[in-house]
Amino acid sequence: MSNKTSRRRFLKTGIVAGTGLAASNAVAEGDPLITQKQPWNQDLGSGVDERPYGMPSAFEVDVKRRSVPWLTADPVSSINFTPLHELDGIITPNGLCFERHHGGVAEYDPASHRLMINGLVDKELVFTMEDIMRFPRENRTYFLECAANSGMEWRGSQLNGCQFTHGMIHNVMYTGVPLRLLLEEAGIKSNGKWLLAEGADASGMTRSIPMEKALDDCLVAFKMNGESLRPEQGYPLRLVVPGWEGNMWVKWLRRIEVGDQPWHHREETSKYTDLLKDGKARRFTWVMDAKSVITNPSPQAPILHSKGPTILSGVAWSGRGTIPRVDVTIDGGKNWNTARMSGPSFDKSMHRFYYEFNWNGSDLLVQSRAHDSTGYVQPTKDELRFIRGKNSIYHNNGIQTWHINTKGVAENVEIS
Ligand code: MTE
Ligand code: CO
């Protein structure tokens, strides 16, 4: 770095740090929160036995999963959404991971759980949870995005909040056994080219998965973020299919059948196919393309100050690799700035970005644009519609726009 650049950088940082961020004159004005005793330092707090399983502060009650009533025909076959605007970093806390189930949450004793491998194998096997725990395990962090995430936005901006437009995603560190090891234990016959993964819940969820993917990076996972899977996420065992659409991540995994061709079940024919402009549907579009969204500010998280130093924050991910770069605009795409990435950059995992700027208090049109490690750049919604038309549901990874008015209130809009 030349002297000139380093000096310029120093000055730039200096400006942000020295803008007198309302670290106000509270002391001089005698703020009672500083000068007087408060209940929390006069009375003793609760003891160690009162929270055997810790919960968030009572002041965080709004940080929760939410559903959209008109999308919920029946709660046991529905969806709720991750509150992305309330989170930071890259990990989704277990209690906030969005839920999608087609037959309610199956709850049962792990001692009663069995995983069967059958079909084109040398020996058909049945594993108990104890058996699975005796295979070498791995820890890996991946996003899971439902193929229907942002699906309501194909015809125009609709839902007002990134929780609803983008919240069918979570990012979790899984502990699990590589599926490859279990398949090798059974021995795959030479014509075994596909797997059928089946859930133990009432929905009987089944998906066909090509053998190359199964042998590459799939996990049979039993822990999320260090603790056992939550019932909502498939306790005691779920399939992890990194970078591929959430529907394939079969929860309550109970059976894997090895076959020589795909099964063409409901979830890969009438559902989870991509309608094209000419009325034909594309099948087996498994990979989730690069996508990003600004989580703050956003409709549920307005800017609360009138102008000055402002932090824009968001997340980006790609089913094809990592996210080396995210661009951010605050003027509807006239000027693009490179965002600052912060936090670990794992393969097929969420990435966190920030853009710090001095808000002059006028209207903003904010957007983010992800670049992934293959060189792919997140498209605009119009670019997607040019190929897919407006009647699609799945795989909408178009650029999201929020309009921020002079009061800091944000709204879901589209610009072309
Ligand atoms: N697995 C089973 N057994 N039953 C289900 O209903 N839903 C699928 C998938 N696996 C489902 C399932 C869908 S559509 C998605 S998007 C993800 O699980 C959601 O995972 P989550 O509930 O952990 O967010
Ligand atoms: Co889904």
Side-chain angles (χ1 to χ4, degrees):
M1 192 192 308
S2 76
N3 268 350
K4 213 169 152 192
T5 356
S6 63
R7 188 173 145 72
R8 201 181 308 133
R9 269 210 196 147
F10 173 72
L11 282 177
K12 228 173 133 190
T13 342
I15 289 167
V16 173
T19 34
L21 277 172
S24 63
N25 298 320
V27 177
E29 289 160 9
D31 181 348
L33 285 169
I34 301 285
T35 58
Q36 289 174 19
K37 282 204 161 183
Q38 301 297 330
W40 53 88
N41 48 39
Q42 289 182 67
D43 304 330
L44 293 173
S46 55
V48 288
D49 293 332
E50 289 182 41
R51 301 168 200 241
Y53 192 95
M55 298 298 283
S57 156
F59 296 96
E60 300 288 317
V61 285
D62 281 342
V63 181
K64 60 182 181 190
R65 302 187 278 224
R66 289 184 177 82
S67 58
V68 172
W70 59 265
L71 281 174
T72 306
D74 187 322
V76 299
S77 179
S78 196
I79 185 103
N80 61 24
F81 300 86
T82 304
L84 292 175
H85 61 293
E86 299 279 11
L87 303 179
D88 216 322
I90 65 163
I91 294 293
T92 315
N94 289 344
L96 295 174
C97 288
F98 87 96
E99 297 166 66
R100 171 72 177 111
H101 25 80
H102 296 70
V105 176
E107 289 201 63
Y108 53 93
D109 184 346
S112 310
H113 190 69
R114 300 288 182 271
L115 172 64
M116 178 161 105
I117 300 187
N118 69 326
L120 299 175
V121 289
D122 297 333
K123 49 180 186 310
E124 300 192 324
L125 294 175
V126 173
F127 301 91
T128 64
M129 286 304 291
E130 271 183 31
D131 296 335
I132 289 169
M133 305 276 194
R134 290 170 63 197
F135 281 84
R137 65 188 76 156
E138 293 187 11
N139 296 299
R140 297 197 236 128
T141 304
Y142 295 119
F143 75 84
L144 177 165
E145 183 183 17
C146 178
N149 200 19
S150 314
M152 295 300 120
E153 306 292 303
W154 274 105
R155 294 180 196 193
S157 53
Q158 183 156 219
L159 294 165
N160 224 18
C162 68
Q163 177 165 18
F164 308 114
T165 54
H166 289 74
M168 288 187 200
I169 187 164
H170 49 65
N171 200 60
V172 160
M173 175 155 48
Y174 295 95
T175 306
V177 175
L179 178 55
R180 179 178 52 79
L181 296 183
L182 302 182
L183 290 169
E184 281 170 2
E185 190 74 10
I188 308 157
K189 291 207 186 300
S190 58
N191 55 340
K193 299 290 178 216
W194 287 81
L195 301 184
L196 183 75
E198 181 184 75
D201 56 323
S203 77
M205 265 274 314
T206 41
R207 278 296 298 252
S208 307
I209 296 168
M211 186 63 78
E212 306 85 75
K213 181 66 174 173
L215 297 179
D216 178 18
D217 57 1
C218 290
L219 291 176
V220 172
F222 41 83
K223 301 270 185 201
M224 58 191 291
N225 296 327
E227 63 179 2
S228 292
L229 293 179
R230 290 291 171 88
E232 304 92 300
Q233 267 66 48
Y235 177 85
L237 200 63
R238 102 172 292 166
L239 190 60
V240 168
V241 190
W244 288 21
E245 60 188 17
N247 187 259
M248 306 176 87
W249 297 47
V250 172
K251 302 193 274 189
W252 309 287
L253 180 69
R254 76 158 176 198
R255 192 169 71 91
I256 289 171
E257 184 175 337
V258 178
D260 56 0
Q261 53 189 317
W263 277 259
H264 308 290
H265 280 183
R266 173 184 182 270
E267 304 291 271
E268 48 210 25
T269 50
S270 91
K271 300 286 178 290
Y272 300 98
T273 55
D274 295 324
L275 191 61
L276 300 176
K277 235 177 170 173
D278 62 6
K280 290 195 174 149
R282 215 158 41 185
R283 300 188 54 202
F284 296 144
T285 47
W286 301 305
V287 182
M288 299 308 291
D289 284 319
K291 186 165 168 181
S292 67
V293 65
I294 292 170
T295 54
N296 306 79
S298 63
Q300 298 156 288
I303 304 181
L304 299 174
H305 52 271
S306 54
K307 57 183 174 191
T310 302
I311 292 181
L312 191 150
S313 173
V315 282
W317 60 93
S318 166
R320 300 183 195 276
T322 58
I323 300 285
R325 176 177 146 199
V326 175
D327 305 323
V328 164
T329 177
I330 58 172
D331 55 16
K334 288 192 200 106
N335 299 286
W336 287 94
N337 314 279
T338 306
R340 181 171 64 85
M341 309 301 298
S342 176
S345 169
F346 297 128
D347 186 41
K348 306 179 181 78
S349 163
M350 225 182 231
H351 290 59
R352 173 64 60 176
F353 65 87
Y354 299 100
Y355 174 65
E356 288 93 5
F357 68 105
N358 240 313
W359 185 33
N360 64 10
S362 60
D363 279 49
L364 304 172
L365 285 167
V366 301
Q367 298 178 323
S368 61
R369 181 171 68 190
H371 298 243
D372 76 12
S373 45
T374 69
Y376 173 93
V377 183
Q378 185 183 358
T380 64
K381 289 193 194 173
D382 283 342
E383 282 166 346
L384 280 179
R385 286 186 191 120
F386 183 73
I387 300 164
R388 307 264 301 275
K390 283 190 171 184
N391 292 321
S392 269
I393 299 175
Y394 306 106
H395 296 278
N396 181 351
N397 67 322
I399 291 174
Q400 173 67 44
T401 315
W402 307 123
H403 171 244
I404 320 284
N405 74 12
T406 55
K407 295 193 163 52
V409 174
E411 200 191 349
N412 182 4
V413 297
E414 277 196 25
I415 50 176
S416 45

